[in-house]
Amino acid sequence: MDSSFAIPTDQYDRAHKPKAIDLSHHLNQLALHRAPNQLKELYRYMGIPGMITMAGGIPSPEFFPFETLSAEMLAVDSVPLDQPRVPKKPSLLSWLWQKSTTSFTIPKYVDHATPTTIQLATSLQYQAATGPPALPLFLREYVEKIYRPAYSDWDVLLNCGATDAWGKIVFMLMERGDACLVEEWTYPGAENSFIPLEVEMVPIKMDGQGVLPSHLEHVLSTWDEKKRGKKRPRVFYTIPTGQNPTGATMLGDRKKEIYDICVKYDVIICEDEPYYCLYTGPWIPKSHEASLSEVAKRELDAEKKEGKAGQEAFIKSLPPTYLTYDYQGRVIRMDTFSKTSCPGSRLGWFTASPLFIERLTRATEASTQAPSGFATAMTAVMLQKWGFDGYIRWLRGIKATYRTRKNWMCDTFDDFFHLEFDPAPHGVATNPAVRDVLEFGRGVTCYSKTAKSGWDEKRGALGPPLISFIPPSGGMFVFLAVHLDEHPDYHSLERNGADATRKLLEKLWQTLADRLVLFAPGWAFDANGPHAIGGKGVGYFRLSFSIATYEENRKAIGTFAKVLNEFYRL
C-alpha cells in the first residue's frame, strides 16, 4: 500500500514519542475558569478496598431496584464477511435470526470486586466524571492498536455521544463571535452547538477526498482580522471518513498535508469520526469487477477471511487518522458507539492530550457527569466478553454490511439510469491498489434511460444530464447533485427574479415525498448559510443507504427515476 494507508509500526512504542506541547492559549475564558469538583474528587478513594465511605451523599445500593441486569448479544461472527451483491431469498438480514447469541448477567454485588469489576452496586451509583475504569481500559488498547497517536501522553475520556462531545469542545475552545473552519458541506447538528456563541462558519472547499489543502492554506494565509472583525479561525471541525453528507473519505497523504497547515497556523483539529470503521473503499460497478487489479482483488479477498489474516487486512485497510500524524497533541478526536453498536446507548469517547482531557473532565463534572451506568455496564461487559479480537471481528461484519448496502444503492442507479463516468485522473498507475481507489472513485453523471430525447447539438443522444454524484467511499450516504439548470422552466424563473434553484429543488423534494420517497434536502448541510444550496442551477439531496432493504432501495430509486422524467418533462 502507499503512504495514504501505511502506518509506521514503531508507533506502538510510547516511550520514544514526544509529549503534547502546551496549547493552553486555545482555552477560552469559560474553560480556564473551570475548577475541580472537590466532592467528586473523593470518588477515587471510594474504590479502595476496606474504605468506609461516609463522605458522599450517595444512596445505598441495597435499595437500587435492580438486582441483576441481563442481556443476550449476538456472537461476534453473526454478520457475514462475504455478502452477496444481490441478496438471496430470504432477505440478507435473515442471518440476524439464525446466528448464535451469548447471554450474560450483571449482578448487584460481586465478591472480591476490584475497581475494574462491573457490578450494579457501582455501575448504577454516582461515579467520577471519567466513568468506570473497565471501559477506558479497553478503549486505550483500541486507540493504541488502531489509531496509533504520534505523541506519548494522550488519553481517553468517556462522553455521552458525539453531540455531547462536540458541545463540550465548543464551550472549551470558542469565544463569542469566533470563526470556525468547517467543510463546505457539513453536519448541521455541529452548527447547532456553536450558534448560541454567534460563531461564523468558514467553509473550506472539498472534492471527492474531502477538504482541499490549497483552499485551507489560502483562507488562513489571507485572513485579515481588521477587515473580518474577528481573529483568524483556531478550530477546524471535520468528518474525514464517510463524510456527512458527501460520503468523501480523506486518505493519509492529504491528512498529513492538512495537519501541517494546522501546525503552521496553530489550528486545533476536531476529528469527528462516527463512520471511521465504515470505510468501504470505492464502489466497483458490476461491469468493472473483472478489470480490478490483482493487488486490489487480493486485498478485497483478504478482508473476507476469518481469523488473524482477515483482521490484519481490515486494520490495514483503514485510513490513518489525524492522530497518526499528531505529534503535538492538537487533535481532539471524537468516537462513538452509535454506528457500530446502538445510538440509544449515548456513549462515546474523546482521545486527546492531557490538557484537553483534564479541561473536558471538569466540563463533564459540571454538566452530564459520567455517561449512563446502564450503557457503560452493558457495553463494557460486551467488550470484555468479545475481547479486542472479537470486537474487531464485529466491526468487520458491520463494514461488510454497509459496503453491501452502498453497492445496492449505486448498482440501482446503474440499473435505472445511463451512467457516464468522469474522465480518469492522470498519473495514477504507479500502485495498482491506489490506482483502483482513484479510478473507481470518479464521479458519475446520470441520464434518463427511458426518455426519448432525440439528438441535441449540445447534449448528444442522451438528453440532459439529470443528476451527478461521487460514489461514497465510506459512511452511510450518497450525495446527489441535481442539474436544475436543465429544467425547462429554470431560465424563465431566473428572468422573473425567482430563486429558480431553490424553488425547483423544493418542488422536486415535495413531489418525491408525496410519492413516499424521502430524501434529505441539501440546503440543511450547506456551510455557506441556511439559504444557500450549493450554487446556481445545482441543488443537492442526501440519500442514506443504511437502513433501507434491497427491495426498498430499488423501489425508491425507481420512483426517483420516474419522477425525474416527469419533472424534466422528458
Side-chain angles (χ1 to χ4, degrees):
M1 298 295 287
D2 79 324
S3 58
S4 292
F5 290 91
I7 300 174
T9 55
D10 62 356
Q11 292 204 21
Y12 282 121
D13 184 5
R14 285 208 198 193
H16 295 90
K17 297 178 188 177
K19 289 189 175 182
I21 65 172
D22 182 8
L23 293 168
S24 56
H25 57 283
H26 281 282
L27 300 174
N28 62 17
Q29 290 300 307
L30 178 64
L32 286 170
H33 286 87
R34 290 196 185 277
N37 185 312
Q38 295 183 9
L39 286 177
K40 293 185 186 300
E41 288 286 289
L42 300 175
Y43 285 141
R44 352 180 234 178
Y45 296 95
M46 292 180 184
I48 297 175
M51 181 70 70
I52 300 174
T53 301
M54 303 180 72
I58 58 177
S60 169
E62 181 182 353
F63 304 113
F64 292 174
F66 302 96
E67 285 295 310
T68 62
L69 188 62
S70 300
E72 273 192 277
M73 63 183 189
L74 291 168
V76 294
D77 59 354
S78 295
V79 189
L81 299 175
D82 190 3
Q83 301 182 12
R85 191 142 188 167
V86 177
K88 301 173 183 177
K89 299 294 183 181
S91 165
L92 180 65
L93 294 180
S94 61
W95 59 264
L96 192 62
W97 313 110
Q98 297 172 354
K99 294 296 180 178
S100 61
T101 60
T102 302
S103 61
F104 63 83
T105 298
I106 305 174
K108 181 180 285 187
Y109 297 103
V110 174
D111 292 337
H112 311 296
T114 68
T116 58
T117 299
I118 300 169
Q119 58 178 353
L120 298 186
T122 51
S123 294
L124 304 187
Q125 185 59 273
Y126 288 123
Q127 299 188 56
T130 51
L135 191 50
L137 196 65
F138 178 90
L139 295 175
R140 290 186 189 103
E141 178 187 6
Y142 180 83
V143 169
E144 185 75 72
K145 290 180 177 179
I146 304 298
Y147 304 155
R148 306 176 187 179
Y151 66 104
S152 63
D153 52 346
W154 57 270
D155 204 355
V156 301
L157 175 67
L158 296 178
N159 56 54
C160 300
T163 302
D164 169 57
W166 173 235
K168 287 171 178 170
I169 292 171
V170 166
F171 286 95
M172 177 177 71
L173 298 180
M174 297 186 194
E175 300 282 9
R176 182 174 297 278
D178 272 356
C180 178
L181 300 162
V182 297
E183 292 141 335
E184 64 176 330
W185 297 101
T186 193
Y187 175 54
E191 180 187 1
N192 291 341
S193 293
F194 53 67
I195 283 176
L197 292 176
E198 301 173 15
V199 168
E200 176 190 347
M201 287 193 295
V202 181
I204 305 300
K205 293 178 181 178
M206 301 174 66
D207 65 7
Q209 257 202 71
V211 296
L212 296 170
S214 58
H215 189 236
L216 178 64
E217 172 78 35
H218 173 75
V219 167
L220 292 171
S221 64
T222 60
W223 190 273
D224 189 321
E225 294 188 355
K226 289 185 178 179
K227 285 184 179 180
R228 300 294 294 255
K230 57 187 64 188
K231 295 179 181 178
R232 191 171 62 202
R234 300 175 296 111
V235 176
F236 173 37
Y237 172 79
T238 177
I239 307 174
T241 308
Q243 201 263 354
N244 185 1
T246 66
T249 294
M250 184 180 290
L251 302 183
D253 286 344
R254 188 175 295 192
K255 278 198 181 91
K256 176 66 166 61
E257 195 173 352
I258 293 289
Y259 180 83
D260 289 343
I261 293 171
C262 290
V263 170
K264 179 178 178 181
Y265 294 99
D266 194 19
V267 173
I268 301 299
I269 299 172
C270 299
E271 185 178 24
D272 189 2
E273 280 285 40
Y275 311 106
Y276 180 69
C277 290
L278 305 185
Y279 173 70
T280 53
W283 169 59
I284 312 298
K286 287 181 287 187
S287 58
H288 290 65
E289 283 185 305
S291 64
L292 273 176
S293 69
E294 290 303 316
V295 173
K297 287 178 182 176
R298 283 198 300 271
E299 291 183 355
L300 286 172
D301 289 341
E303 282 202 65
K304 297 175 183 177
K305 294 178 180 178
E306 296 287 357
K308 186 176 181 180
Q311 175 175 306
E312 290 176 351
F314 167 78
I315 295 173
K316 182 181 178 183
S317 74
L318 295 171
T321 83
Y322 276 108
L323 288 173
T324 307
Y325 305 105
D326 183 20
Y327 59 91
Q328 293 188 330
R330 68 173 56 251
V331 174
I332 305 175
R333 182 180 168 102
M334 296 165 271
D335 281 281
T336 176
F337 288 101
S338 293
K339 307 304 186 292
T340 56
S341 176
C342 53
S345 67
R346 304 315 308 141
L347 187 60
W349 77 93
F350 301 99
T351 305
S353 70
L355 169 72
F356 294 139
I357 291 292
E358 189 274 334
R359 289 291 88 187
L360 289 166
T361 302
R362 302 287 84 82
T364 300
E365 289 174 345
S367 57
T368 59
Q369 302 188 52
S372 162
F374 289 103
T376 52
M378 298 287 277
T379 303
V381 170
M382 178 184 75
L383 294 173
Q384 283 182 346
K385 288 190 171 295
W386 281 352
F388 178 82
D389 292 344
Y391 184 54
I392 296 299
R393 173 57 182 84
W394 174 260
L395 294 177
R396 294 173 62 203
I398 297 296
K399 171 180 174 174
T401 297
Y402 284 107
R403 174 187 280 135
T404 299
R405 289 172 178 265
K406 177 185 73 175
N407 287 339
W408 288 354
M409 181 168 281
C410 293
D411 288 351
T412 305
F413 275 106
D414 200 5
D415 290 340
F416 282 100
F417 294 88
H418 178 82
L419 269 53
E420 290 285 306
F421 286 79
D422 291 346
H426 297 290
V428 299
T430 53
N431 181 308
V434 178
R435 183 195 70 204
D436 288 325
V437 169
L438 298 176
E439 171 75 14
F440 293 110
R442 293 181 287 157
V444 295
T445 300
C446 304
Y447 298 82
S448 173
K449 255 189 177 181
T450 59
K452 296 178 181 179
S453 303
W455 180 265
D456 185 289
E457 288 293 330
K458 292 190 296 182
R459 300 168 179 160
L462 296 175
L466 303 180
I467 53 177
S468 299
F469 66 97
I470 297 175
S473 52
M476 297 177 168
F477 310 111
V478 168
F479 198 53
L480 291 179
V482 186
H483 298 276
L484 297 168
D485 52 358
E486 297 287 350
H487 191 278
D489 298 336
Y490 177 81
H491 295 291
S492 61
L493 287 169
E494 283 286 298
R495 285 193 296 270
N496 291 327
D499 183 346
T501 306
R502 180 70 178 236
K503 189 177 183 68
L504 290 171
L505 190 66
E506 287 178 342
K507 181 180 179 181
L508 178 58
W509 180 87
Q510 188 62 58
T511 302
L512 288 165
D514 292 341
R515 301 279 187 93
L516 302 181
V517 176
L518 189 63
F519 295 165
W523 58 74
F525 305 92
D526 195 331
N528 290 288
H531 302 295
I533 51 174
K536 282 283 186 180
V538 181
Y540 295 86
F541 288 135
R542 190 196 73 175
L543 285 61
S544 173
F545 51 79
S546 58
I547 195 169
T549 64
Y550 178 78
E551 292 77 13
E552 288 171 337
N553 256 293
R554 294 195 66 80
K555 184 176 180 179
I557 304 306
T559 300
F560 184 39
K562 292 177 183 177
V563 167
L564 283 178
N565 279 333
E566 298 166 8
F567 182 73
Y568 283 92
R569 299 199 286 273
L570 298 179

